[in-house]
Amino acid sequence: MKAFDVLFSKREWVAFFILAALILVVLPSLLDVFRLNLVGKYLTYAFVALGLVLCWGMGGILSLGQGIFFGLGGYCMAMFLKLEASTPEATAIQSTPGIPDFMDWNQITALPIWWQPFHSLAFTLVAIIAVPMIFAFIIGAAMFKRRVGGVYFAIITQAIAAILTILIIGQQGYTGGVNGITDLRTLLGWDIRTDDAKVVLYFVNALLLLACLILAQGVRISKFGRLLVAMRDREDRVRFSGYSVANFKIFIFCLSAGLAAIGGAMFTLQVGFMSPSFVGIVPSIEMVIFCAVGGRLSLFGAIYGALIVNYAKTTFSESFPELWLFAMGGLFIGVVMAFPNGLAGLFHDHVEPALGRAFGKFRSSRSDDTPATEPAQ
């Protein structure tokens, strides 16, 4: 029990249970299956936002290429699901039965060797985490060991996202090209397209998100988390103290990649496809905006930011589809200039003190014999 007390403060436990009640009880009871599945899609982006809080908010490493890892996790899951849907019986009308339809369309007559392991769900689950983290390790080692950081690192990750998108589109016979991997039907024989399946996947997604939130909180309050903040604020002092700043950056960058990959895999399961449109520059910047709006220093704020911005995007783009990207850019600029700590910062600076004062007055009015509670600071 003491370990849980150390993990969250009393105020943070309240915030945790409010979030859990919202996504596990309130939203499922109020929304129909279609809207609930839509919220589930929003929650997959919250995994990326959690990783950005650790990487950007705590470590000071702004990555504009998180769509890379979101997409890699999603493609790993999509490859398994596509192979399961491409049995010889289901693809009997193809010139080469037993391979994905887009390979047959591109005159590929045998399943590529690097697709073969994705027949196994166990391998796929490992690959969802391992492939993006290995890719992040390669990028991080190449950059951080040479002390490349700041805006230069952000631009490089953006360029890598663009390169990977072009590569996926160009290798149409192996990746599905611009359309991506589509027509995903079952998971170990379980039809993921039914309403019941969508509800179950929503709850799996929500519980995984809460578990990742606990993991991220553990990192935040650890000695490593304190060193990350010190590295963000005074990198040279941390280096002169004998710590390997490059290794710290590589580790937290890989961890944020793993969290983004989990979100990508759950996105594929809930939406039923994965395409390069979720890998490139625009989705990567949007993911940063989710974190910035919610609060790049707050794990809870990042989750709420992902929910709020995606809901606004869905609502606003239905009425003004051509203006949404401008609104998104303006939102990011406004957040950076007006409230750099996001909605979580506004709540902490203004709402929480007001609630503390109101609660103190309420307590004092209930009993003349008991001293009023001190206002929250």
Side-chain angles (χ1 to χ4, degrees), residues 4 17 33 66 77 85 170 181 200 240 246 261 282 300 351 371:
F4 287 101
F17 284 118
V33 175
Q66 291 303 99
M77 178 57 75
I181 301 178
V200 171
F240 295 154
V282 172
F300 294 101
V351 178

Side-chain angles (χ1 to χ4, degrees), residues 214-278:
I214 293 173
L215 171 65
Q217 175 69 4
V219 173
R220 189 183 74 84
I221 66 173
S222 66
K223 180 182 178 181
F224 174 70
R226 294 192 293 273
L227 284 170
L228 275 179
V229 175
M231 181 183 71
R232 177 196 67 195
D233 296 336
R234 292 290 187 272
E235 182 176 322
D236 289 340
R237 289 190 180 184
V238 176
R239 182 178 291 110
F240 295 154
S241 298
Y243 293 101
S244 175
V245 170
N247 288 340
F248 287 163
K249 287 184 175 182
I250 292 170
F251 177 81
I252 201 62
F253 184 54
C254 290
L255 180 58
S256 69
L259 291 173
I262 295 172
M266 291 308 302
F267 178 92
T268 299
L269 279 171
Q270 291 186 109
V271 178
F273 74 96
M274 176 52 67
S275 78
S277 61
F278 300 103

Side-chain angles (χ1 to χ4, degrees), residues 53-77:
V53 171
L54 298 177
C55 183
W56 178 33
M58 295 183 61
I61 306 166
L62 175 58
S63 169
L64 295 179
Q66 291 303 99
I68 297 170
F69 313 116
F70 184 86
L72 286 175
Y75 267 97
C76 286
M77 178 57 75

Side-chain angles (χ1 to χ4, degrees), residues 292-293 329-343 345-346 349-350:
V293 170
L331 179 64
F332 185 57
I333 294 172
V335 166
V336 172
M337 296 183 64
F339 47 104
N341 291 330
L343 297 176
L346 288 177
D349 294 339
H350 302 288

Side-chain angles (χ1 to χ4, degrees), residues 10-61:
K10 290 183 178 179
R11 183 181 65 183
E12 289 170 335
W13 271 120
V14 171
F16 180 83
F17 284 118
I18 289 174
L19 175 64
L22 175 66
I23 63 177
L24 293 176
V25 179
V26 177
L27 293 177
S29 63
L30 294 179
L31 301 177
D32 57 34
V33 175
F34 174 77
R35 293 294 175 183
L36 189 65
N37 184 248
L38 204 56
V39 173
K41 186 179 98 170
Y42 302 162
L43 289 178
T44 62
Y45 293 120
F47 289 91
V48 189
L50 283 179
L52 281 169
V53 171
L54 298 177
C55 183
W56 178 33
M58 295 183 61
I61 306 166

